[in-house]
Amino acid sequence: MWHQCLCIAASIMPTLGSFNSSSLLLISLLWTISFSAHNIGAINTKKFHFKEAPKFYNSPTCPSLHYYYNNNSSTDTNITQICFQNAVNVAMTLDAAYLRGSMAAILSVLQHSSCPENVIFHFVASSSANIDYLNLKLASSFPYLHFTIYPFRDSAVAGLISTSIRAALDCPLNYARNYLADLLPQCIQKVVYLDSDLVLVDDITKLAATPLGEEAILAAPEYCNANFTTYFTPTFWSNPSLSLTFTNRKPCYFNTGVMVIDLERWRDGDYTTKIVEWMELQKRMRIYELGSLPPFLLVFAGNIAPVDHKWNQHGLGGDNFRGLCRDLHPGPVSLLHWSGKGKPWVRLDASRPCPLDALWAPYDLLQTPFVLES
């Protein structure tokens, strides 16, 4: 029974295009049944052994990918900068703790892309991490992947981080997205930034093509029904000068785990400095509680380009305290995001998955210690 459910679910997942909530719930149910009927127990993730992913090929209509060497890089690393024309540039952070999630995210991007050979990955890892290990794991599972790992100095941001409501949010690597314009080659003008705790079920080329208009620096799904005032402290709102920050803007909450960023405009406007200035103020007077998100809201909220909500079905990891199970938001789904405390691989290993964690499982490349019956 469990093997039949496994095959049915696997046959549904590769279909291109966004899913509706009903089809995703059906897939979730099938995977949950298969997982429950064949209890594999907890997987020891201390030894990361990942399977090799299949190779995905461009459709005939994809443009050719051309590369050239960049001689005008703002980075201070010794990495040879190679730039590509007709590429979809994707940026993610990378570390050992979230490597399993990153692998699943990469696989989902490639599997659902119409031009997977044109997707270029830019990974940012802590300079103190074992980058050789990360390179080896990526190259072993994705031997055909175009990618570069950029070292990020924790010291650049460590002194600016204020304690937030959850310790995991205080990791310096969470703030690396603030510095993408400096870390990536100057020739990269636009990038899709993705968190590691998500999977796509639609073509990333569509997301990358999001129009930014004449002035917007970034695009992301906005959630204007959220109580925006709760993202900042009473100290912020009671200060006459600070409370005017959003004057002539209509600020809405947006999740920074999925963004399309114009790096050229970011560099021209020196937006890294603007974010850092708010972080410096936070060290002097506590104006927010939630990690790396509020500085982005302070700088960009009310001035971003819109993205359909289907591109960030966020919050599947529950809240920041208990990580309870959550349902999908109404409407179509192109990207599932386990933001919040609970992560699908942790709950699956503990044999306590939420129903929607089964939608993440088909992309898990971790080499499990058992072999499926034929």
Side-chain angles (χ1 to χ4, degrees), residues 182-194:
D182 300 323
L183 292 168
L184 272 57
Q186 290 278 314
C187 59
I188 298 177
Q189 299 177 354
K190 191 177 184 182
V191 69
V192 177
Y193 176 83
L194 299 175

Side-chain angles (χ1 to χ4, degrees), residues 117-298:
E117 295 175 281
N118 289 13
V119 181
I120 312 298
F121 284 89
H122 305 270
F123 299 108
V124 180
S126 170
S127 57
S128 61
N130 187 341
I131 293 180
D132 288 340
Y133 167 82
L134 296 174
N135 260 310
L136 176 62
K137 292 302 177 183
L138 286 171
S140 297
S141 288
F142 302 99
Y144 48 83
L145 192 68
H146 298 290
F147 74 91
T148 303
I149 299 179
Y150 305 84
F152 174 66
R153 294 194 308 274
D154 294 351
S155 58
V157 71
L160 297 172
I161 298 175
S162 300
T163 303
S164 63
I165 62 175
R166 183 159 61 92
L169 299 176
D170 300 336
C171 171
L173 198 58
N174 284 342
Y175 294 81
R177 72 194 82 182
N178 302 356
Y179 300 88
L180 287 177
D182 300 323
L183 292 168
L184 272 57
Q186 290 278 314
C187 59
I188 298 177
Q189 299 177 354
K190 191 177 184 182
V191 69
V192 177
Y193 176 83
L194 299 175
D195 273 353
S196 297
D197 53 355
L198 55 77
V199 295
L200 278 78
V201 292
D202 203 348
D203 189 350
I204 195 170
T205 305
K206 302 175 187 176
L207 178 60
T210 301
L212 293 172
E214 296 182 359
E215 297 183 353
I217 310 301
L218 61 86
E222 292 182 287
Y223 304 89
C224 295
N225 291 330
N227 186 351
F228 189 80
T229 60
T230 61
Y231 291 96
F232 303 96
T233 64
T235 299
F236 175 87
W237 294 114
S238 62
N239 184 294
S241 59
L242 295 179
S243 61
L244 296 175
T245 300
F246 299 104
T247 301
N248 299 323
R249 292 157 64 180
K250 295 182 179 179
C252 295
Y253 160 75
F254 64 92
N255 181 279
T256 52
V258 179
M259 298 184 290
V260 180
I261 306 173
D262 187 316
L263 294 179
E264 189 172 33
R265 292 179 184 177
W266 183 296
R267 297 179 184 113
D268 290 343
D270 194 15
Y271 282 92
T272 296
T273 297
K274 291 178 170 62
I275 289 175
V276 167
E277 287 173 348
W278 281 112
M279 294 176 67
E280 290 173 341
L281 177 61
Q282 164 76 352
K283 295 293 289 186
R284 298 195 299 270
M285 55 187 296
R286 198 163 184 84
I287 58 174
Y288 55 80
E289 303 287 353
L290 192 63
S292 61
L293 169 65
F296 263 81
L297 297 179
L298 287 162

Side-chain angles (χ1 to χ4, degrees), residues 1-193:
M1 171 63 180
W2 76 271
H3 181 62
Q4 291 174 336
C5 294
L6 187 71
C7 294
I8 294 171
S11 68
I12 298 173
M13 292 305 293
T15 305
L16 277 175
S18 61
F19 290 92
N20 60 38
S21 300
S22 298
S23 61
L24 284 172
L25 287 173
L26 172 61
I27 297 167
S28 172
L29 176 61
L30 291 169
W31 272 94
T32 301
I33 293 172
S34 68
F35 188 88
S36 299
H38 189 82
N39 185 4
I40 63 173
I43 297 170
N44 181 8
T45 55
K46 293 181 179 179
K47 297 181 179 179
F48 288 107
H49 297 294
F50 296 100
K51 297 174 286 188
E52 181 177 330
K55 184 175 182 179
F56 300 96
Y57 296 91
N58 281 357
S59 64
T61 58
C62 294
S64 298
L65 190 65
H66 302 289
Y67 70 90
Y68 59 95
Y69 292 96
N70 175 51
N71 295 317
N72 184 28
S73 173
S74 64
T75 64
D76 56 1
T77 69
N78 293 321
I79 298 173
T80 300
Q81 306 291 359
I82 302 177
C83 302
F84 294 85
Q85 293 177 332
N86 300 322
V88 174
N89 291 291
V90 178
M92 300 175 65
T93 58
L94 195 66
D95 68 349
Y98 276 72
L99 184 57
R100 188 173 169 189
S102 300
M103 291 286 202
I106 297 165
L107 176 58
S108 74
V109 169
L110 298 174
Q111 182 170 322
H112 295 287
S113 174
S114 57
C115 302
E117 295 175 281
N118 289 13
V119 181
I120 312 298
F121 284 89
H122 305 270
F123 299 108
V124 180
S126 170
S127 57
S128 61
N130 187 341
I131 293 180
D132 288 340
Y133 167 82
L134 296 174
N135 260 310
L136 176 62
K137 292 302 177 183
L138 286 171
S140 297
S141 288
F142 302 99
Y144 48 83
L145 192 68
H146 298 290
F147 74 91
T148 303
I149 299 179
Y150 305 84
F152 174 66
R153 294 194 308 274
D154 294 351
S155 58
V157 71
L160 297 172
I161 298 175
S162 300
T163 303
S164 63
I165 62 175
R166 183 159 61 92
L169 299 176
D170 300 336
C171 171
L173 198 58
N174 284 342
Y175 294 81
R177 72 194 82 182
N178 302 356
Y179 300 88
L180 287 177
D182 300 323
L183 292 168
L184 272 57
Q186 290 278 314
C187 59
I188 298 177
Q189 299 177 354
K190 191 177 184 182
V191 69
V192 177
Y193 176 83

